[in-house]
Amino acid sequence: MIAQDVNLRNPKMQLKIKSLTLDNPVLTASGTFGYAKEMRGVFDLSRLGGIIPKTVTLAPRAGNLPQRIVETAAGMLNSIGLDNDGIDEFLANKLPFLKQLGTKIIVSIAAKNIDECSVFAEKLEEARKNIGGIDAVEFNVSCPNVSGGVDFATDPKLCEKVVSALRRSLTLPLFVKLSPNVWNIGQVAQGAEAGGADAISAINTCFGLAVDWRRRKPKLGNGFGGLSGPAIKPIALRCVRQIYKSVKIPVIGIGGIESADDAMEFFVTGASAIQIGTANFYRPKAALEIIDALPNSLAQLGAESVSKIVGTLEM
């Protein structure tokens, strides 16, 4: 009985975003799950609602100087710098493996300027037709670890402009991943929605700094980095609520989620789905544990599906 329930392959647990149908609302976040090969022996990846592989850029990137990751109180600070082999390498050598995993694949991309958006759209659409395996795209406009990485996520009009540039030639469902490092994230989300986003992913990491006082140096080679993990959950919940109240498209909650209780907090706050990020490093089965526990958590509220509780927070 439990095995049937936790599989969550039933209409009551599905989430539909444009042409994308997720079998359940639990995904893994970009940058924390690699390209999934590292996790294939840990559990059955087909049980996930979806996988968002590591963000890819148009051209290969070497990333930032080491040290790139440091542990912090209740979290992790990273300055990877979008280290990747570029979109062509991803489509040729990563996507064929990913599309065999039996779950939805949402490709994460980051553009350094608006002109790159049309090139990205062309390559993704060609791959969709010729290779298959791309179910949606997550547009990362909020990486704090590269020069200009959050520019598109700080101004609503600029966000609308860059999302529109990608949307113009992209037929795939489009998520836009926003930064918490802004004054009014709800307004930026409105810009993304106006540009053609089908969902908002929130949040990316928070700007942070770790210091080695004995050396009087930053612990990260790049100085500042992005803070993730349980420490940022209250910030993420606040952002999800603000976005939920600001747009009509679904919100996908990210930030410090490691248990079913965390997931339920995001759902009632306004998220229609969630992504598991930093928890993948120290609890590799966290996403699976949440999937297993969701039916019981929903039953405690007398709800048969996540959609029945989304945004029901009273405040």
Side-chain angles (χ1 to χ4, degrees), residues 156-157 159-160 178 184-197 200 242-243 245-249:
K157 290 299 182 184
C159 187
E160 177 181 351
L178 297 184
N184 192 323
I185 196 170
Q187 290 181 356
V188 179
Q190 288 174 342
E193 182 180 36
I200 302 294
Q242 289 177 323
I243 295 169
K245 289 292 188 178
S246 300
V247 300
K248 296 180 180 179
I249 55 179

Side-chain angles (χ1 to χ4, degrees), residues 14 30 37 94 113 136 141 150 158 182 203 218 224 255-256 270 314:
Q14 290 179 343
S30 175
K37 283 189 176 181
K94 303 292 194 302
N113 56 52
V141 298
V150 299
L158 187 57
V182 295
I203 56 177
F224 295 108
E314 299 176 4

Side-chain angles (χ1 to χ4, degrees), residues 86-108:
I87 186 65
D88 291 337
E89 172 69 14
F90 171 82
L91 294 174
N93 296 312
K94 303 292 194 302
L95 184 59
F97 168 79
L98 288 164
K99 74 176 188 178
Q100 298 175 10
L101 297 180
T103 188
K104 298 299 188 294
I105 303 300
I106 298 96
V107 177
S108 176

